Amino acid sequence: MGKHPGDIISRIQTHTDHSISFVHLLDPRLSSPTSQGTLNDLSTIIKVAMSCLCAKPEYRPTMRSIAQVFETEADDPTTLLSP
């Protein structure tokens, strides 16, 4: 986005209900995603990224659980993460 990642992280963490719009997270210099599959993929990636930002390490997901999320996405033929 042309901004320091810390700025984005701070913005995300101030939204206590985790209802931040893609508009605040995506680089405005890139074209907006148009397919539902791409939006679903971005949603999954953002949810995983946000869960990794928990202040307490014990509340962060393990790499195994993150890998399982993306494997599940890859197994779904309606997503763009599938081969």
Side-chain angles (χ1 to χ4, degrees):
M1 293 184 64
K3 298 179 182 177
H4 189 278
D7 296 337
I8 298 167
I9 292 169
S10 295
R11 186 178 304 133
I12 291 169
Q13 290 175 333
T14 59
H15 284 75
T16 56
D17 61 354
H18 299 292
S19 63
I20 192 162
S21 170
F22 280 151
V23 174
H24 295 105
L25 299 173
L26 300 178
D27 191 332
R29 299 171 291 185
L30 302 174
S31 60
S32 297
T34 55
S35 76
Q36 189 60 43
T38 301
L39 290 170
N40 290 343
D41 290 344
L42 286 172
S43 177
T44 299
I45 291 166
I46 290 169
K47 287 176 187 175
V48 168
M50 288 178 65
S51 68
C52 293
L53 297 175
C54 289
K56 294 185 178 184
E58 61 269 17
Y59 295 128
R60 295 181 204 143
T62 64
M63 286 306 296
R64 179 177 300 238
S65 66
I66 292 170
Q68 288 173 338
V69 168
F70 290 123
E71 286 172 2
T72 301
E73 286 289 317
D75 290 340
D76 184 349
T78 64
T79 68
L80 296 177
L81 292 175
S82 57

